[in-house]
Amino acid sequence: MSAAPEPRLEQQPYRWPVPPEGGWTADDLDRIPGLPPHTELIDGSLVFMSPQTAFHGRAMRLFENALLDQAPADLDVLREMTIRLDERNRPEPDVLVFPAEANTGPRQTWFRPEDVVLAVEVVSDDSVQRDREVKPRKYAAAGVRHFWRVEADEEGVPVVYVYELDPALKVYVPTGIHRDKLTLTVPFPLEIDLTAINRRRP
């Protein structure tokens, strides 16, 4: 027996985009009208984001600010930009690092995987499988060199799982699990106080 539909979901019927035969393509993501913000394309299917949690938003802020502060001058950092992995996949990392020269202008909506130095995914309740399994496998196969998966511990402090690409096998090799402080020498020297997630910048 199914539950009765909530009245609020019946007030305004929405016409969901009907995929063409074979599914959507990477170019379609910029052309489909009325898509919710931060819609991703995975294997030709549209993936919609659930409402953002405070941890997710603060983790993105923490990593974006820290990476901007410490990245060398030839690298730049953006939140929530898609990577065009192939014709059927345009996932959207929460934070990514790329060469400044890969910036094509203010109307740019995606990056090539070979231009992405680091992709960071902050895991949400609805994205656990995608962020732990699907996306890292696809990022590695496309040649994205560095990948971080960020999850919350019991206290709401980020735990960062760090991976580096094996270029011969096109798979990620885990290089460390970081709690409280993230200290790395690649893709560039950096140090991030993970316990600062709830602090505002000076």
Side-chain angles (χ1 to χ4, degrees), residues 49-61:
M49 302 294 103
S50 64
Q52 189 178 101
T53 64
F55 171 80
H56 196 277
R58 287 172 176 159
M60 285 195 298
R61 179 181 64 188

Side-chain angles (χ1 to χ4, degrees), residues 1-184:
M1 178 175 172
S2 61
E6 295 186 41
R8 64 184 178 84
L9 298 179
E10 295 187 324
Q11 291 173 1
Q12 294 290 335
Y14 179 75
R15 293 188 61 188
W16 296 100
V18 178
E21 184 176 351
W24 300 107
T25 69
D27 289 336
D28 290 331
L29 204 57
D30 292 326
R31 298 193 290 247
I32 304 170
L35 285 181
H38 312 302
T39 299
E40 299 181 290
L41 183 72
I42 304 292
D43 294 329
S45 297
L46 301 176
V47 177
F48 304 133
M49 302 294 103
S50 64
Q52 189 178 101
T53 64
F55 171 80
H56 196 277
R58 287 172 176 159
M60 285 195 298
R61 179 181 64 188
L62 172 69
F63 289 103
E64 181 186 30
N65 290 339
L67 289 166
L68 277 169
D69 287 343
Q70 300 179 56
D74 61 332
L75 297 180
D76 202 353
V77 181
L78 278 176
R79 287 169 49 165
E80 302 168 312
M81 284 280 287
T82 59
I83 307 174
R84 183 182 174 135
L85 301 180
D86 55 40
E87 191 66 13
R88 300 290 178 182
N89 289 278
R90 262 182 68 183
E92 182 182 282
D94 291 304
V95 182
L96 55 82
V97 179
F98 57 95
E101 63 188 18
N103 181 6
T104 63
R107 299 187 65 83
Q108 181 175 2
T109 59
W110 52 268
F111 288 95
R112 303 180 306 168
E114 57 265 36
D115 289 330
V116 178
V117 175
L118 167 67
V120 181
E121 293 286 1
V122 181
V123 177
S124 300
D125 288 345
D126 72 328
S127 70
V128 173
Q129 184 176 15
R130 290 195 303 276
D131 292 342
R132 288 181 176 178
E133 300 175 23
V134 178
K135 287 188 179 182
R137 184 173 67 249
K138 290 181 178 295
Y139 291 153
V144 175
R145 288 163 275 176
H146 299 272
F147 172 70
W148 299 352
R149 189 181 80 245
V150 180
E151 304 197 19
D153 69 8
E154 298 79 6
E155 305 299 323
V157 175
V159 178
V160 184
Y161 299 81
V162 175
Y163 300 85
E164 188 170 347
L165 182 68
D166 180 329
L169 300 178
K170 288 294 183 73
V171 296
Y172 284 130
V173 177
T175 61
I177 301 173
H178 300 260
R179 301 175 184 270
D180 296 331
K181 181 178 288 188
L182 174 65
T183 303
L184 297 173

